[in-house]
Amino acid sequence: GENVEQHPSTLSVQEGDSAVIKCTYSDSASNYFPWYKQELGKGPQLIIDIRSNVGEKKDQRIAVTLNKTAKHFSLHITETQPEDSAVYFCAASQGDNQGGKLIFGQGTELSVKP
Amino acid sequence: EAGVAQSPRYKIIEKRQSVAFWCNPISGHATLYWYQQILGQGPKLLIQFQNNGVVDDSQLPKDRFSAERLKGVDSTLKIQPAKLEDSAVYLCASSAGGGGYEQYFGPGTRLTVT
């Protein structure tokens, strides 16, 4: 079945720096890759997603890149702020996403120091 | 629009007791998911409903877990009898359709089994 590996498990940056989180997946048929932010005591919040017909997508300070050949995708956060501190999860669709099932990575705890 | 609602937010029970969780999805969302999130890990799908039919329950421990979605709206997830390893956050998510649609999560129910 699909397997998603996420690195690093923890990341500490200074406010204003950039943060990059990387994920690899195993199922070459996967075609949908969302990223979620989870704050303490809350459910995961969808922050950006990308589909396999696109190589990069941006939304203000957040961008996601996808390399289908290498089967990896990354989350880039620029100009980090303390409120970006949270756990971030990547996910990949199982197969071509006909059923909507997502496989999640293990999470990255991001700490932004003021 | 209102998000995914879940209750209770917290539950503490002893092993071998039973417990039930409730979820109300975003209005009009046909697909409902229950995930289990063990501390320090990403969410793992337990069961997926499309309207009131089960699409995927391959990872649901059916000897102790059950779920239903009557009338294709609200859903309940039950554990009977609970084990220590069931301690986790139980997340409900919904989407407008199956594959290709964004999933939105509720705040989760934190279950502690003692």
Side-chain angles (χ1 to χ4, degrees):
Chain A
E2 173 73 283
N3 185 47
V4 177
E5 296 287 335
Q6 183 172 346
H7 300 280
S9 56
T10 61
L11 180 59
S12 181
V13 300
Q14 286 295 131
E15 182 178 0
D17 287 351
S18 295
V20 180
I21 303 170
K22 299 182 179 182
C23 289
T24 59
Y25 60 98
S26 60
D27 187 350
S28 56
S30 294
N31 63 1
Y32 175 60
F33 308 91
W35 285 88
Y36 287 84
K37 175 184 180 182
Q38 188 172 27
E39 296 175 306
L40 199 60
K42 298 184 178 180
Q45 175 194 3
L46 179 66
I47 55 172
I48 195 166
D49 57 13
I50 191 167
R51 300 177 194 273
S52 60
N53 57 345
V54 175
E56 182 176 357
K57 184 176 178 181
K58 271 188 171 181
D59 183 3
Q60 299 181 2
R61 297 185 298 108
I62 293 174
V64 57
T65 58
L66 171 65
N67 183 328
K68 283 222 76 179
T69 302
K71 288 191 280 188
H72 67 71
F73 56 113
S74 301
L75 177 72
H76 304 253
I77 306 174
T78 58
E79 300 172 27
T80 54
Q81 302 167 3
E83 50 265 39
D84 294 329
S85 295
V87 180
Y88 291 80
F89 291 97
C90 64
S93 62
Q94 178 169 284
D96 61 4
N97 201 31
Q98 289 299 311
K101 181 174 180 177
L102 295 176
I103 307 300
F104 283 79
Q106 300 90 333
T108 296
E109 184 174 2
L110 174 64
S111 176
V112 180
K113 300 186 184 306
Chain B
E1 71 181 358
V4 177
Q6 290 187 247
S7 68
R9 292 297 315 279
Y10 306 91
K11 191 74 177 179
I12 301 173
I13 61 172
E14 294 181 354
K15 59 183 179 184
R16 291 187 289 274
Q17 287 187 325
S18 63
V19 63
F21 312 125
W22 173 82
C23 173
N24 180 242
I26 292 172
S27 178
H29 277 194
T31 307
L32 186 148
Y33 308 81
W34 282 103
Y35 288 86
Q36 180 191 59
Q37 185 177 26
I38 292 173
L39 187 65
Q41 298 182 19
K44 184 187 81 171
L45 181 69
L46 291 175
I47 189 167
Q48 175 185 347
F49 292 94
Q50 181 82 14
N51 296 309
N52 60 347
V54 175
V55 174
D56 185 340
D57 63 357
S58 58
Q59 304 229 65
L60 188 73
K62 298 180 187 65
D63 58 333
R64 299 184 300 106
F65 286 63
S66 64
E68 60 181 9
R69 190 183 185 196
L70 299 177
K71 301 180 182 178
V73 181
D74 293 4
S75 177
T76 55
L77 176 69
K78 297 180 182 178
I79 307 175
Q80 183 180 11
K83 292 185 175 181
L84 295 177
E85 58 260 37
D86 298 333
S87 294
V89 175
Y90 291 85
L91 295 162
C92 179
S94 71
S95 70
Y101 291 89
E102 296 85 355
Q103 293 185 29
Y104 297 94
F105 284 82
T109 297
R110 179 174 296 279
L111 173 67
T112 302
V113 182
T114 63

